[in-house]
Amino acid sequence: TGNSQKAVLAAIVLAAVPAYLSHFIWSLSLSMALYFVAFYCMERIRHDKNWMHPATLTIAAILVTQTTLSVKFALFFGIYWLLKAVSARNFLWHLFLAAPLGALLAAIFWWIPIAIKYGTLSALLRGLGQTGVEAIFTPTANRFYTFSTFFFAETQNMINSPVGIGIVISILTILGLAYLLFAFLSVFRNKETRVKFSYIAIVIAWFIFNLLSVLGSYLPIRMDFHRSWMLLAFTAALIAAEAMYLIAEKAKQLSIPHLLTYLVLFAGIWFTAGMQKYTFNTSSGWPP
């Protein structure tokens, strides 16, 4: 975002949104956490090319942690790098190379030894098909999600990958998306705002991709929409933070202090999303 205040707001929203994971511990939880580390490292590359090394290592870690999120990371990275390169009008080699080098590390230290251990490449490819790409396009544990699934957070939820955004966060996301689309149209031709252009374009593209993934039951290609909720949650948090920041700035023009505006927004988020998430994650009904 290039703005620490927006970053804090997004983190608060992410902590409250029900769809961003639960206290169920499995490989998706670790893989999702590594997304943030990887993109942080990649963001730092434009300041110091040496950040390519931790970016490469983190991408390699993602590619050996969980298979479906590995494939989705490749799509996330593709959107991210392409829009950065278009914005900068530069191929951005150091950023681009982080992904294939990470894939090479993952292959050398994990996938190739596994292929050798289990005998044949065809056996490895069958295993990848069953747990990776095939799992994305023929997913399990999926449902047809409706407007109410997004808008109303529930205290009862899916144990491994919860669903739902909440009333206030949903409204903020819609407002933020409208604002970003307007901002995109106003800045994308201005050379001085190319960095902002890339950020806006990336967030909008990520959000649309994740929304289509979650709504996969209505589409011909079904991309593991049940496990796309956590990805939708973190892009929604970025967009909702834009709306919160904008509302606070507009309120300040009416002599309403930022603190009061944010307290009202935080209260709305808590009662329509955070409380439901807290109730679900502290329920005594969870088995050992």
PDB file of all heavy atoms in Angstrom, residues 12 38 49 51 55 81 106 123 150 164-165 175 202:
ATOM      1  N   ILE A  12      -6.078  -5.398  10.925  1.00  0.00           N
ATOM      2  CA  ILE A  12      -7.196  -5.507  11.869  1.00  0.00           C
ATOM      3  C   ILE A  12      -8.393  -6.186  11.210  1.00  0.00           C
ATOM      4  O   ILE A  12      -9.031  -7.069  11.802  1.00  0.00           O
ATOM      5  CB  ILE A  12      -7.578  -4.105  12.397  1.00  0.00           C
ATOM      6  CG1 ILE A  12      -6.453  -3.565  13.285  1.00  0.00           C
ATOM      7  CG2 ILE A  12      -8.898  -4.145  13.176  1.00  0.00           C
ATOM      8  CD1 ILE A  12      -6.613  -2.114  13.683  1.00  0.00           C
ATOM      9  N   ALA A  38       6.658 -14.034   1.378  1.00  0.00           N
ATOM     10  CA  ALA A  38       7.145 -14.011  -0.006  1.00  0.00           C
ATOM     11  C   ALA A  38       6.885 -12.659  -0.662  1.00  0.00           C
ATOM     12  O   ALA A  38       7.790 -12.073  -1.282  1.00  0.00           O
ATOM     13  CB  ALA A  38       6.478 -15.128  -0.816  1.00  0.00           C
ATOM     14  N   LYS A  49      18.197  -5.270  -4.501  1.00  0.00           N
ATOM     15  CA  LYS A  49      18.105  -6.497  -5.314  1.00  0.00           C
ATOM     16  C   LYS A  49      18.424  -7.758  -4.510  1.00  0.00           C
ATOM     17  O   LYS A  49      18.016  -8.860  -4.882  1.00  0.00           O
ATOM     18  CB  LYS A  49      19.042  -6.400  -6.519  1.00  0.00           C
ATOM     19  CG  LYS A  49      18.741  -5.249  -7.475  1.00  0.00           C
ATOM     20  CD  LYS A  49      17.377  -5.394  -8.102  1.00  0.00           C
ATOM     21  CE  LYS A  49      17.137  -4.347  -9.203  1.00  0.00           C
ATOM     22  NZ  LYS A  49      17.066  -2.974  -8.673  1.00  0.00           N
ATOM     23  N   TRP A  51      17.194  -8.751  -1.912  1.00  0.00           N
ATOM     24  CA  TRP A  51      15.970  -9.361  -1.361  1.00  0.00           C
ATOM     25  C   TRP A  51      15.451 -10.482  -2.253  1.00  0.00           C
ATOM     26  O   TRP A  51      14.556 -11.234  -1.855  1.00  0.00           O
ATOM     27  CB  TRP A  51      14.894  -8.292  -1.168  1.00  0.00           C
ATOM     28  CG  TRP A  51      15.036  -7.539   0.119  1.00  0.00           C
ATOM     29  CD1 TRP A  51      15.707  -6.375   0.327  1.00  0.00           C
ATOM     30  CD2 TRP A  51      14.506  -7.927   1.391  1.00  0.00           C
ATOM     31  NE1 TRP A  51      15.631  -6.004   1.649  1.00  0.00           N
ATOM     32  CE2 TRP A  51      14.889  -6.938   2.326  1.00  0.00           C
ATOM     33  CE3 TRP A  51      13.738  -9.000   1.843  1.00  0.00           C
ATOM     34  CZ2 TRP A  51      14.540  -7.004   3.668  1.00  0.00           C
ATOM     35  CZ3 TRP A  51      13.384  -9.062   3.173  1.00  0.00           C
ATOM     36  CH2 TRP A  51      13.776  -8.082   4.081  1.00  0.00           C
ATOM     37  N   ALA A  55      13.352 -14.029  -1.060  1.00  0.00           N
ATOM     38  CA  ALA A  55      12.118 -14.241  -1.825  1.00  0.00           C
ATOM     39  C   ALA A  55      12.144 -15.615  -2.483  1.00  0.00           C
ATOM     40  O   ALA A  55      11.161 -16.373  -2.431  1.00  0.00           O
ATOM     41  CB  ALA A  55      11.956 -13.147  -2.884  1.00  0.00           C
ATOM     42  N   TRP A  81       3.572 -10.017 -10.856  1.00  0.00           N
ATOM     43  CA  TRP A  81       4.742  -9.630 -11.666  1.00  0.00           C
ATOM     44  C   TRP A  81       4.314  -8.924 -12.951  1.00  0.00           C
ATOM     45  O   TRP A  81       4.891  -7.896 -13.330  1.00  0.00           O
ATOM     46  CB  TRP A  81       5.584 -10.861 -12.008  1.00  0.00           C
ATOM     47  CG  TRP A  81       6.602 -10.545 -13.057  1.00  0.00           C
ATOM     48  CD1 TRP A  81       7.784  -9.884 -12.910  1.00  0.00           C
ATOM     49  CD2 TRP A  81       6.467 -10.809 -14.466  1.00  0.00           C
ATOM     50  NE1 TRP A  81       8.404  -9.733 -14.126  1.00  0.00           N
ATOM     51  CE2 TRP A  81       7.626 -10.289 -15.100  1.00  0.00           C
ATOM     52  CE3 TRP A  81       5.484 -11.447 -15.242  1.00  0.00           C
ATOM     53  CZ2 TRP A  81       7.817 -10.390 -16.471  1.00  0.00           C
ATOM     54  CZ3 TRP A  81       5.683 -11.539 -16.609  1.00  0.00           C
ATOM     55  CH2 TRP A  81       6.840 -11.019 -17.206  1.00  0.00           C
ATOM     56  N   ALA A 106      12.932 -26.001  -4.988  1.00  0.00           N
ATOM     57  CA  ALA A 106      11.953 -26.988  -4.516  1.00  0.00           C
ATOM     58  C   ALA A 106      12.149 -28.319  -5.233  1.00  0.00           C
ATOM     59  O   ALA A 106      12.039 -29.396  -4.621  1.00  0.00           O
ATOM     60  CB  ALA A 106      10.540 -26.456  -4.734  1.00  0.00           C
ATOM     61  N   ALA A 123       4.991 -42.019 -11.617  1.00  0.00           N
ATOM     62  CA  ALA A 123       4.380 -42.158 -10.296  1.00  0.00           C
ATOM     63  C   ALA A 123       4.305 -40.810  -9.583  1.00  0.00           C
ATOM     64  O   ALA A 123       3.316 -40.480  -8.933  1.00  0.00           O
ATOM     65  CB  ALA A 123       5.173 -43.152  -9.451  1.00  0.00           C
ATOM     66  N   PHE A 150     -21.653 -14.649   2.123  1.00  0.00           N
ATOM     67  CA  PHE A 150     -20.660 -13.577   2.189  1.00  0.00           C
ATOM     68  C   PHE A 150     -21.045 -12.533   3.238  1.00  0.00           C
ATOM     69  O   PHE A 150     -20.210 -12.105   4.037  1.00  0.00           O
ATOM     70  CB  PHE A 150     -20.537 -12.880   0.824  1.00  0.00           C
ATOM     71  CG  PHE A 150     -19.940 -13.721  -0.255  1.00  0.00           C
ATOM     72  CD1 PHE A 150     -20.722 -14.582  -1.006  1.00  0.00           C
ATOM     73  CD2 PHE A 150     -18.577 -13.664  -0.529  1.00  0.00           C
ATOM     74  CE1 PHE A 150     -20.167 -15.359  -2.011  1.00  0.00           C
ATOM     75  CE2 PHE A 150     -18.015 -14.428  -1.528  1.00  0.00           C
ATOM     76  CZ  PHE A 150     -18.815 -15.281  -2.268  1.00  0.00           C
ATOM     77  N   GLY A 164     -17.430 -16.771   4.864  1.00  0.00           N
ATOM     78  CA  GLY A 164     -18.130 -15.579   5.319  1.00  0.00           C
ATOM     79  C   GLY A 164     -17.224 -14.379   5.532  1.00  0.00           C
ATOM     80  O   GLY A 164     -16.066 -14.524   5.921  1.00  0.00           O
ATOM     81  N   ILE A 165     -17.768 -13.196   5.261  1.00  0.00           N
ATOM     82  CA  ILE A 165     -17.028 -11.950   5.387  1.00  0.00           C
ATOM     83  C   ILE A 165     -17.597 -11.063   6.495  1.00  0.00           C
ATOM     84  O   ILE A 165     -16.847 -10.474   7.271  1.00  0.00           O
ATOM     85  CB  ILE A 165     -17.032 -11.174   4.045  1.00  0.00           C
ATOM     86  CG1 ILE A 165     -16.442 -12.035   2.911  1.00  0.00           C
ATOM     87  CG2 ILE A 165     -16.263  -9.868   4.177  1.00  0.00           C
ATOM     88  CD1 ILE A 165     -14.982 -12.397   3.086  1.00  0.00           C
ATOM     89  N   LEU A 175     -17.393  -0.636  -1.105  1.00  0.00           N
ATOM     90  CA  LEU A 175     -17.031   0.779  -1.212  1.00  0.00           C
ATOM     91  C   LEU A 175     -15.570   0.938  -1.648  1.00  0.00           C
ATOM     92  O   LEU A 175     -15.256   1.771  -2.507  1.00  0.00           O
ATOM     93  CB  LEU A 175     -17.253   1.480   0.129  1.00  0.00           C
ATOM     94  CG  LEU A 175     -18.702   1.656   0.587  1.00  0.00           C
ATOM     95  CD1 LEU A 175     -18.740   2.247   1.993  1.00  0.00           C
ATOM     96  CD2 LEU A 175     -19.473   2.548  -0.379  1.00  0.00           C
ATOM     97  N   ILE A 202      -3.106  -4.632  -9.084  1.00  0.00           N
ATOM     98  CA  ILE A 202      -2.844  -5.952  -8.494  1.00  0.00           C
ATOM     99  C   ILE A 202      -3.949  -6.342  -7.525  1.00  0.00           C
ATOM    100  O   ILE A 202      -4.477  -7.459  -7.575  1.00  0.00           O
ATOM    101  CB  ILE A 202      -1.473  -5.967  -7.786  1.00  0.00           C
ATOM    102  CG1 ILE A 202      -0.353  -5.932  -8.820  1.00  0.00           C
ATOM    103  CG2 ILE A 202      -1.326  -7.196  -6.898  1.00  0.00           C
ATOM    104  CD1 ILE A 202       1.003  -5.575  -8.235  1.00  0.00           C
TER     105      ILE A 202
END
